[in-house]
Amino acid sequence: MSDEKRAVPEDVSCDIPTIKMLKIAQEKGQETIFDRAVKMKQCNIGTEGICCKNCSQGPCRIPLTKAIKDGTEPDKRTGLCGATAETIVARNFARMVAAGCSAHSDHGRAVVETFRAMAYGEAKDYTIKDELKLREVAGYFGIATTVQEGDAEVPRDKWDIAKELADAATAQFGQQRGEMAYLKRAPQPTYDRWTKHGVKPRGFDREVVEIMHRTHMGVDQDYKNLVKQASRCSLANGWGGSMMATDFSDILFGTPYPTLGNINLGVLSHTKVNIIVHGHDPLLSEMIVAAVHTPDMIEYAKSKGAEGYVVAGMCCTANEILVRHGMPIAGDYLQQELAVITGAVEAMVVDVQCVMESLASVSECYHTKFITTMPIAKCASGKNTMHVEFEEHHAMEKAKEIVKIAADNFKNRKDVNIPSDQNKMVVGFSTEAIKYHLGGTFRGSFVPLNDNIINGRIRGVVGVVGCNNARVEHDTVHIDLIKELIKHDIVVLTTGCSAMACGKAGLLTPEAAAIYAGPGLAEVCETVGIPPVLHMGACVDNSRILTAATEVVKAGGLGKELADLPAAGAAPGWMSEKAVGIGQYFVTSGVNVMLGVPLPIYGSPKFANYLENEIYDLYGGKWAYEPDPIKSAHKIIAWIDHNREKLGINVARERVLMDMADRQKIEAA
Ligand code: MSK
């Protein structure tokens, strides 16, 4: 690497271990994504979404001129077939939604299929960990959870429920008619908007296929109609595939409740076998966590000269095992190469999504075994790359096979550089856990949260989610935005790599409230004993934000639909198509979404205006883009204040204990 083509570590991240490891990587001549982002510029046409490559007469590139942008010249740009700029951008946008939603919902399908195999006795290493959730979820599918025995109604056998539920859930993906079961979980007026605008999804697969059909050359030529299908597909994911991924993972592995965890590269050990589980799917990582605790595997590690194992997560597989078992997180998406460069990782075990192909070549420079495990996600090259196919029917056997490969590799470590830094955090705030924390075991409730929003101690709620992105400063965009929000008494819900940024910056501890939160939020956090930023799980768990928001509406006093809430979403460093799918289901559910990295839509001002303004009239939510995190925070605060004003709670009040009649008065106002 020549000097001018390297990233300057202090300029590309605010995270100390990342900076340290980048310097080590550069000293060793090891290139990372941070360096490649400096070397390789983005394509202007692509970032504006105005390249159509949906047929072989193109790609048709239609640059946006200043005159068109200013409106001093009419926009007559077209591709060879006559497709307008807005059609081209809309097709590209819809395809991003389809791809992103497919990733999350196919993950959901894998979890449901394993649940089904478990229910029918074919996957004996799994069981029902949360029976309460099983019964709750069965209710959403209209499945009986009690049976009549004589005069008494008694609980139905859990395995009978599981079998019926497994079949019903599996059918959701390929359902051709009707509507998906979970849509009814939304507040009635939100559901009514979906009915009115014809966006209730039938089945997940059908909505994706329809996007691919409509965006084929010469089909849908109406950008609003294309967005309509993107909205429908996004709901099939947010209120379908993703929500099922979350629910069925909870049933299989337990619903998260607050637990302590550690984060950053410093969690790797000098004396133990380090296994990193990376990706998104919890099915194998759960088994690896179980496997390293078995006596035979512990003995095996000792026989190889190690003191035991560290199973550390990366990306959202990390969040899955963190929120349920308190297993440590080695790092986020942008830190995956750096983990290998520590020289301390015996096995980088990957499942699906957010796995950089460069791991194969980086692993070659160290002793790390880069192990792919899923039939849909293999890696073609790399002398340290191997494939151990995961099978849910033999899950523990496969997990132990991988653990042994890692232990055998312990002796091959050479130059080890583990930065000592790590942070403590409190994680695992599922919707159920928040309810419990606010109301107690027997009277779990969101009412105390609503009361504090109404009396102004808490100004609003913002979900800050999504990836890290090598084109913006690592972690900084998340941290600056979130600190500004909590300083203004806004409680933040977080998932994915954004949650990891918060953990590394010390925002996920109850003590953070006294340091960073405004006085109202700090008081609430201190009273309830929660951090000002609540870690809700992996990126697929953004569905938990939907269910939490629905609980807030149900608790009363803050309007009748999701669009009424003083709430918003933000993804300051998004990079994955999944984030576009998530954003679109937030918008279609009535939540404004702020991005810190632009959507590829600005090559068509007409289309951008549709997503940033006009769509609001349909669903009560819209997209926005602001790269400066502080300005972004204040735009979000303005949205929140606007909704507070509409609710008649814009003036901070002294705390009044409200009963249902009081709340109804506010709703009627
Ligand atoms: S891992 S999708 S970089 S959040 Fe879920 Fe992080 Fe984004 Fe991957």
PDB file of all heavy atoms in Angstrom, residues 257-286:
ATOM      1  N   TYR A 257     -34.032 -10.797  28.194  1.00  0.00           N
ATOM      2  CA  TYR A 257     -34.264  -9.927  29.353  1.00  0.00           C
ATOM      3  C   TYR A 257     -32.920  -9.310  29.708  1.00  0.00           C
ATOM      4  O   TYR A 257     -31.878  -9.860  29.333  1.00  0.00           O
ATOM      5  CB  TYR A 257     -34.872 -10.716  30.524  1.00  0.00           C
ATOM      6  CG  TYR A 257     -36.356 -10.902  30.321  1.00  0.00           C
ATOM      7  CD1 TYR A 257     -36.839 -11.976  29.596  1.00  0.00           C
ATOM      8  CD2 TYR A 257     -37.261  -9.956  30.794  1.00  0.00           C
ATOM      9  CE1 TYR A 257     -38.202 -12.119  29.348  1.00  0.00           C
ATOM     10  CE2 TYR A 257     -38.628 -10.094  30.549  1.00  0.00           C
ATOM     11  CZ  TYR A 257     -39.090 -11.172  29.825  1.00  0.00           C
ATOM     12  OH  TYR A 257     -40.435 -11.299  29.566  1.00  0.00           O
ATOM     13  N   PRO A 258     -32.913  -8.168  30.395  1.00  0.00           N
ATOM     14  CA  PRO A 258     -31.647  -7.475  30.619  1.00  0.00           C
ATOM     15  C   PRO A 258     -30.559  -8.363  31.206  1.00  0.00           C
ATOM     16  O   PRO A 258     -30.780  -9.122  32.146  1.00  0.00           O
ATOM     17  CB  PRO A 258     -32.044  -6.354  31.574  1.00  0.00           C
ATOM     18  CG  PRO A 258     -33.446  -6.048  31.176  1.00  0.00           C
ATOM     19  CD  PRO A 258     -34.059  -7.393  30.858  1.00  0.00           C
ATOM     20  N   THR A 259     -29.413  -8.247  30.579  1.00  0.00           N
ATOM     21  CA  THR A 259     -28.264  -9.030  30.999  1.00  0.00           C
ATOM     22  C   THR A 259     -27.005  -8.191  30.762  1.00  0.00           C
ATOM     23  O   THR A 259     -27.035  -7.242  29.985  1.00  0.00           O
ATOM     24  CB  THR A 259     -28.219 -10.373  30.225  1.00  0.00           C
ATOM     25  OG1 THR A 259     -27.146 -11.140  30.730  1.00  0.00           O
ATOM     26  CG2 THR A 259     -28.001 -10.184  28.741  1.00  0.00           C
ATOM     27  N   LEU A 260     -25.925  -8.574  31.420  1.00  0.00           N
ATOM     28  CA  LEU A 260     -24.663  -7.834  31.246  1.00  0.00           C
ATOM     29  C   LEU A 260     -23.861  -8.424  30.101  1.00  0.00           C
ATOM     30  O   LEU A 260     -23.885  -9.641  29.888  1.00  0.00           O
ATOM     31  CB  LEU A 260     -23.823  -7.959  32.511  1.00  0.00           C
ATOM     32  CG  LEU A 260     -23.968  -6.885  33.571  1.00  0.00           C
ATOM     33  CD1 LEU A 260     -23.119  -7.248  34.775  1.00  0.00           C
ATOM     34  CD2 LEU A 260     -23.527  -5.511  33.025  1.00  0.00           C
ATOM     35  N   GLY A 261     -23.148  -7.594  29.393  1.00  0.00           N
ATOM     36  CA  GLY A 261     -22.285  -8.101  28.334  1.00  0.00           C
ATOM     37  C   GLY A 261     -21.049  -7.232  28.186  1.00  0.00           C
ATOM     38  O   GLY A 261     -20.971  -6.139  28.765  1.00  0.00           O
ATOM     39  N   ASN A 262     -20.095  -7.729  27.416  1.00  0.00           N
ATOM     40  CA  ASN A 262     -18.872  -6.966  27.120  1.00  0.00           C
ATOM     41  C   ASN A 262     -18.727  -6.829  25.624  1.00  0.00           C
ATOM     42  O   ASN A 262     -19.141  -7.711  24.876  1.00  0.00           O
ATOM     43  CB  ASN A 262     -17.645  -7.689  27.670  1.00  0.00           C
ATOM     44  CG  ASN A 262     -17.606  -7.641  29.171  1.00  0.00           C
ATOM     45  OD1 ASN A 262     -17.814  -6.601  29.786  1.00  0.00           O
ATOM     46  ND2 ASN A 262     -17.382  -8.785  29.775  1.00  0.00           N
ATOM     47  N   ILE A 263     -18.091  -5.753  25.217  1.00  0.00           N
ATOM     48  CA  ILE A 263     -17.938  -5.529  23.776  1.00  0.00           C
ATOM     49  C   ILE A 263     -16.582  -4.932  23.440  1.00  0.00           C
ATOM     50  O   ILE A 263     -16.036  -4.144  24.204  1.00  0.00           O
ATOM     51  CB  ILE A 263     -19.070  -4.620  23.234  1.00  0.00           C
ATOM     52  CG1 ILE A 263     -18.956  -4.482  21.705  1.00  0.00           C
ATOM     53  CG2 ILE A 263     -19.057  -3.240  23.883  1.00  0.00           C
ATOM     54  CD1 ILE A 263     -20.216  -3.953  21.042  1.00  0.00           C
ATOM     55  N   ASN A 264     -16.085  -5.303  22.325  1.00  0.00           N
ATOM     56  CA  ASN A 264     -14.926  -4.819  21.581  1.00  0.00           C
ATOM     57  C   ASN A 264     -13.830  -5.873  21.507  1.00  0.00           C
ATOM     58  O   ASN A 264     -13.903  -6.910  22.161  1.00  0.00           O
ATOM     59  CB  ASN A 264     -14.387  -3.480  22.089  1.00  0.00           C
ATOM     60  CG  ASN A 264     -14.089  -2.560  20.891  1.00  0.00           C
ATOM     61  OD1 ASN A 264     -13.736  -3.046  19.816  1.00  0.00           O
ATOM     62  ND2 ASN A 264     -14.257  -1.263  21.049  1.00  0.00           N
ATOM     63  N   LEU A 265     -12.836  -5.582  20.685  1.00  0.00           N
ATOM     64  CA  LEU A 265     -11.843  -6.612  20.351  1.00  0.00           C
ATOM     65  C   LEU A 265     -11.119  -7.149  21.581  1.00  0.00           C
ATOM     66  O   LEU A 265     -10.590  -8.264  21.570  1.00  0.00           O
ATOM     67  CB  LEU A 265     -10.848  -6.051  19.330  1.00  0.00           C
ATOM     68  CG  LEU A 265     -11.480  -5.745  17.958  1.00  0.00           C
ATOM     69  CD1 LEU A 265     -10.593  -4.828  17.123  1.00  0.00           C
ATOM     70  CD2 LEU A 265     -11.776  -7.040  17.199  1.00  0.00           C
ATOM     71  N   GLY A 266     -11.139  -6.373  22.651  1.00  0.00           N
ATOM     72  CA  GLY A 266     -10.500  -6.804  23.896  1.00  0.00           C
ATOM     73  C   GLY A 266     -11.145  -8.013  24.543  1.00  0.00           C
ATOM     74  O   GLY A 266     -10.593  -8.579  25.494  1.00  0.00           O
ATOM     75  N   VAL A 267     -12.298  -8.453  24.057  1.00  0.00           N
ATOM     76  CA  VAL A 267     -12.920  -9.656  24.640  1.00  0.00           C
ATOM     77  C   VAL A 267     -12.189 -10.926  24.193  1.00  0.00           C
ATOM     78  O   VAL A 267     -12.373 -11.987  24.788  1.00  0.00           O
ATOM     79  CB  VAL A 267     -14.435  -9.780  24.288  1.00  0.00           C
ATOM     80  CG1 VAL A 267     -15.201  -8.548  24.730  1.00  0.00           C
ATOM     81  CG2 VAL A 267     -14.652 -10.061  22.802  1.00  0.00           C
ATOM     82  N   LEU A 268     -11.367 -10.817  23.149  1.00  0.00           N
ATOM     83  CA  LEU A 268     -10.624 -12.001  22.688  1.00  0.00           C
ATOM     84  C   LEU A 268      -9.570 -12.368  23.734  1.00  0.00           C
ATOM     85  O   LEU A 268      -9.045 -11.505  24.437  1.00  0.00           O
ATOM     86  CB  LEU A 268      -9.975 -11.719  21.325  1.00  0.00           C
ATOM     87  CG  LEU A 268     -10.970 -11.433  20.184  1.00  0.00           C
ATOM     88  CD1 LEU A 268     -10.231 -11.017  18.914  1.00  0.00           C
ATOM     89  CD2 LEU A 268     -11.856 -12.649  19.912  1.00  0.00           C
ATOM     90  N   SER A 269      -9.265 -13.648  23.820  1.00  0.00           N
ATOM     91  CA  SER A 269      -8.400 -14.132  24.903  1.00  0.00           C
ATOM     92  C   SER A 269      -7.017 -14.560  24.390  1.00  0.00           C
ATOM     93  O   SER A 269      -6.887 -15.105  23.291  1.00  0.00           O
ATOM     94  CB  SER A 269      -9.078 -15.316  25.583  1.00  0.00           C
ATOM     95  OG  SER A 269      -8.185 -15.959  26.454  1.00  0.00           O
ATOM     96  N   HIS A 270      -6.019 -14.360  25.243  1.00  0.00           N
ATOM     97  CA  HIS A 270      -4.666 -14.832  24.942  1.00  0.00           C
ATOM     98  C   HIS A 270      -4.523 -16.314  25.253  1.00  0.00           C
ATOM     99  O   HIS A 270      -3.667 -16.988  24.685  1.00  0.00           O
ATOM    100  CB  HIS A 270      -3.638 -14.048  25.770  1.00  0.00           C
ATOM    101  CG  HIS A 270      -3.411 -12.665  25.246  1.00  0.00           C
ATOM    102  ND1 HIS A 270      -2.524 -12.391  24.227  1.00  0.00           N
ATOM    103  CD2 HIS A 270      -3.968 -11.478  25.587  1.00  0.00           C
ATOM    104  CE1 HIS A 270      -2.535 -11.093  23.965  1.00  0.00           C
ATOM    105  NE2 HIS A 270      -3.402 -10.509  24.772  1.00  0.00           N
ATOM    106  N   THR A 271      -5.344 -16.802  26.161  1.00  0.00           N
ATOM    107  CA  THR A 271      -5.114 -18.163  26.668  1.00  0.00           C
ATOM    108  C   THR A 271      -6.198 -19.158  26.274  1.00  0.00           C
ATOM    109  O   THR A 271      -6.078 -20.338  26.554  1.00  0.00           O
ATOM    110  CB  THR A 271      -5.035 -18.120  28.207  1.00  0.00           C
ATOM    111  OG1 THR A 271      -6.215 -17.475  28.699  1.00  0.00           O
ATOM    112  CG2 THR A 271      -3.795 -17.369  28.676  1.00  0.00           C
ATOM    113  N   LYS A 272      -7.276 -18.665  25.701  1.00  0.00           N
ATOM    114  CA  LYS A 272      -8.373 -19.562  25.317  1.00  0.00           C
ATOM    115  C   LYS A 272      -8.522 -19.613  23.797  1.00  0.00           C
ATOM    116  O   LYS A 272      -8.050 -18.711  23.099  1.00  0.00           O
ATOM    117  CB  LYS A 272      -9.689 -19.074  25.939  1.00  0.00           C
ATOM    118  CG  LYS A 272      -9.674 -19.126  27.455  1.00  0.00           C
ATOM    119  CD  LYS A 272     -10.986 -18.609  28.024  1.00  0.00           C
ATOM    120  CE  LYS A 272     -10.936 -18.699  29.541  1.00  0.00           C
ATOM    121  NZ  LYS A 272     -12.112 -18.103  30.160  1.00  0.00           N
ATOM    122  N   VAL A 273      -9.202 -20.631  23.328  1.00  0.00           N
ATOM    123  CA  VAL A 273      -9.506 -20.744  21.895  1.00  0.00           C
ATOM    124  C   VAL A 273     -10.567 -19.693  21.568  1.00  0.00           C
ATOM    125  O   VAL A 273     -11.635 -19.669  22.188  1.00  0.00           O
ATOM    126  CB  VAL A 273     -10.074 -22.152  21.576  1.00  0.00           C
ATOM    127  CG1 VAL A 273     -10.493 -22.241  20.106  1.00  0.00           C
ATOM    128  CG2 VAL A 273      -9.079 -23.230  21.937  1.00  0.00           C
ATOM    129  N   ASN A 274     -10.265 -18.813  20.617  1.00  0.00           N
ATOM    130  CA  ASN A 274     -11.233 -17.776  20.232  1.00  0.00           C
ATOM    131  C   ASN A 274     -12.017 -18.214  18.993  1.00  0.00           C
ATOM    132  O   ASN A 274     -11.442 -18.458  17.935  1.00  0.00           O
ATOM    133  CB  ASN A 274     -10.506 -16.463  19.922  1.00  0.00           C
ATOM    134  CG  ASN A 274      -9.913 -15.837  21.169  1.00  0.00           C
ATOM    135  OD1 ASN A 274     -10.579 -15.716  22.191  1.00  0.00           O
ATOM    136  ND2 ASN A 274      -8.646 -15.445  21.098  1.00  0.00           N
ATOM    137  N   ILE A 275     -13.318 -18.309  19.174  1.00  0.00           N
ATOM    138  CA  ILE A 275     -14.201 -18.646  18.040  1.00  0.00           C
ATOM    139  C   ILE A 275     -15.116 -17.442  17.823  1.00  0.00           C
ATOM    140  O   ILE A 275     -15.816 -17.022  18.747  1.00  0.00           O
ATOM    141  CB  ILE A 275     -15.070 -19.886  18.350  1.00  0.00           C
ATOM    142  CG1 ILE A 275     -14.176 -21.080  18.679  1.00  0.00           C
ATOM    143  CG2 ILE A 275     -16.009 -20.198  17.187  1.00  0.00           C
ATOM    144  CD1 ILE A 275     -14.949 -22.309  19.168  1.00  0.00           C
ATOM    145  N   ILE A 276     -15.075 -16.906  16.618  1.00  0.00           N
ATOM    146  CA  ILE A 276     -16.005 -15.804  16.318  1.00  0.00           C
ATOM    147  C   ILE A 276     -17.164 -16.349  15.501  1.00  0.00           C
ATOM    148  O   ILE A 276     -16.955 -17.063  14.508  1.00  0.00           O
ATOM    149  CB  ILE A 276     -15.290 -14.656  15.581  1.00  0.00           C
ATOM    150  CG1 ILE A 276     -14.316 -13.974  16.554  1.00  0.00           C
ATOM    151  CG2 ILE A 276     -16.297 -13.658  15.032  1.00  0.00           C
ATOM    152  CD1 ILE A 276     -13.725 -12.686  16.067  1.00  0.00           C
ATOM    153  N   VAL A 277     -18.375 -16.057  15.953  1.00  0.00           N
ATOM    154  CA  VAL A 277     -19.565 -16.415  15.169  1.00  0.00           C
ATOM    155  C   VAL A 277     -20.103 -15.126  14.556  1.00  0.00           C
ATOM    156  O   VAL A 277     -20.358 -14.154  15.255  1.00  0.00           O
ATOM    157  CB  VAL A 277     -20.622 -17.145  16.024  1.00  0.00           C
ATOM    158  CG1 VAL A 277     -20.183 -18.562  16.311  1.00  0.00           C
ATOM    159  CG2 VAL A 277     -20.910 -16.427  17.336  1.00  0.00           C
ATOM    160  N   HIS A 278     -20.249 -15.139  13.247  1.00  0.00           N
ATOM    161  CA  HIS A 278     -20.453 -13.896  12.506  1.00  0.00           C
ATOM    162  C   HIS A 278     -21.579 -14.071  11.489  1.00  0.00           C
ATOM    163  O   HIS A 278     -21.657 -15.090  10.810  1.00  0.00           O
ATOM    164  CB  HIS A 278     -19.115 -13.569  11.817  1.00  0.00           C
ATOM    165  CG  HIS A 278     -19.138 -12.424  10.864  1.00  0.00           C
ATOM    166  ND1 HIS A 278     -20.089 -11.438  10.860  1.00  0.00           N
ATOM    167  CD2 HIS A 278     -18.272 -12.089   9.855  1.00  0.00           C
ATOM    168  CE1 HIS A 278     -19.826 -10.559   9.901  1.00  0.00           C
ATOM    169  NE2 HIS A 278     -18.734 -10.946   9.277  1.00  0.00           N
ATOM    170  N   GLY A 279     -22.412 -13.071  11.395  1.00  0.00           N
ATOM    171  CA  GLY A 279     -23.515 -13.112  10.430  1.00  0.00           C
ATOM    172  C   GLY A 279     -24.804 -12.704  11.124  1.00  0.00           C
ATOM    173  O   GLY A 279     -24.826 -11.695  11.845  1.00  0.00           O
ATOM    174  N   HIS A 280     -25.852 -13.521  10.957  1.00  0.00           N
ATOM    175  CA  HIS A 280     -27.161 -13.127  11.501  1.00  0.00           C
ATOM    176  C   HIS A 280     -28.000 -14.241  12.101  1.00  0.00           C
ATOM    177  O   HIS A 280     -28.863 -13.990  12.923  1.00  0.00           O
ATOM    178  CB  HIS A 280     -27.975 -12.432  10.402  1.00  0.00           C
ATOM    179  CG  HIS A 280     -27.506 -11.045  10.169  1.00  0.00           C
ATOM    180  ND1 HIS A 280     -26.368 -10.771   9.467  1.00  0.00           N
ATOM    181  CD2 HIS A 280     -27.981  -9.852  10.607  1.00  0.00           C
ATOM    182  CE1 HIS A 280     -26.166  -9.462   9.459  1.00  0.00           C
ATOM    183  NE2 HIS A 280     -27.130  -8.882  10.145  1.00  0.00           N
ATOM    184  N   ASP A 281     -27.789 -15.452  11.634  1.00  0.00           N
ATOM    185  CA  ASP A 281     -28.699 -16.538  11.970  1.00  0.00           C
ATOM    186  C   ASP A 281     -28.294 -17.163  13.315  1.00  0.00           C
ATOM    187  O   ASP A 281     -27.169 -17.613  13.469  1.00  0.00           O
ATOM    188  CB  ASP A 281     -28.566 -17.561  10.818  1.00  0.00           C
ATOM    189  CG  ASP A 281     -29.552 -18.674  10.920  1.00  0.00           C
ATOM    190  OD1 ASP A 281     -29.971 -18.982  12.040  1.00  0.00           O
ATOM    191  OD2 ASP A 281     -29.883 -19.247   9.861  1.00  0.00           O
ATOM    192  N   PRO A 282     -29.210 -17.229  14.285  1.00  0.00           N
ATOM    193  CA  PRO A 282     -28.808 -17.762  15.602  1.00  0.00           C
ATOM    194  C   PRO A 282     -28.820 -19.287  15.695  1.00  0.00           C
ATOM    195  O   PRO A 282     -28.440 -19.842  16.718  1.00  0.00           O
ATOM    196  CB  PRO A 282     -29.875 -17.166  16.534  1.00  0.00           C
ATOM    197  CG  PRO A 282     -31.090 -17.036  15.679  1.00  0.00           C
ATOM    198  CD  PRO A 282     -30.591 -16.741  14.283  1.00  0.00           C
ATOM    199  N   LEU A 283     -29.236 -19.985  14.628  1.00  0.00           N
ATOM    200  CA  LEU A 283     -29.470 -21.425  14.756  1.00  0.00           C
ATOM    201  C   LEU A 283     -28.191 -22.203  15.066  1.00  0.00           C
ATOM    202  O   LEU A 283     -28.178 -23.103  15.900  1.00  0.00           O
ATOM    203  CB  LEU A 283     -30.122 -21.961  13.469  1.00  0.00           C
ATOM    204  CG  LEU A 283     -31.501 -21.362  13.161  1.00  0.00           C
ATOM    205  CD1 LEU A 283     -31.953 -21.757  11.770  1.00  0.00           C
ATOM    206  CD2 LEU A 283     -32.531 -21.778  14.205  1.00  0.00           C
ATOM    207  N   LEU A 284     -27.088 -21.861  14.398  1.00  0.00           N
ATOM    208  CA  LEU A 284     -25.827 -22.549  14.661  1.00  0.00           C
ATOM    209  C   LEU A 284     -25.094 -21.943  15.858  1.00  0.00           C
ATOM    210  O   LEU A 284     -24.550 -22.671  16.698  1.00  0.00           O
ATOM    211  CB  LEU A 284     -24.928 -22.484  13.410  1.00  0.00           C
ATOM    212  CG  LEU A 284     -23.498 -22.995  13.604  1.00  0.00           C
ATOM    213  CD1 LEU A 284     -23.488 -24.483  13.965  1.00  0.00           C
ATOM    214  CD2 LEU A 284     -22.655 -22.767  12.360  1.00  0.00           C
ATOM    215  N   SER A 285     -25.081 -20.628  15.946  1.00  0.00           N
ATOM    216  CA  SER A 285     -24.320 -19.983  17.032  1.00  0.00           C
ATOM    217  C   SER A 285     -24.839 -20.411  18.400  1.00  0.00           C
ATOM    218  O   SER A 285     -24.071 -20.616  19.341  1.00  0.00           O
ATOM    219  CB  SER A 285     -24.359 -18.465  16.884  1.00  0.00           C
ATOM    220  OG  SER A 285     -25.681 -18.018  16.756  1.00  0.00           O
ATOM    221  N   GLU A 286     -26.170 -20.598  18.516  1.00  0.00           N
ATOM    222  CA  GLU A 286     -26.736 -21.088  19.780  1.00  0.00           C
ATOM    223  C   GLU A 286     -26.130 -22.441  20.141  1.00  0.00           C
ATOM    224  O   GLU A 286     -25.823 -22.714  21.303  1.00  0.00           O
ATOM    225  CB  GLU A 286     -28.264 -21.234  19.653  1.00  0.00           C
ATOM    226  CG  GLU A 286     -29.023 -19.943  19.803  1.00  0.00           C
ATOM    227  CD  GLU A 286     -29.236 -19.534  21.267  1.00  0.00           C
ATOM    228  OE1 GLU A 286     -29.234 -20.418  22.130  1.00  0.00           O
ATOM    229  OE2 GLU A 286     -29.393 -18.323  21.513  1.00  0.00           O
TER     230      GLU A 286
END
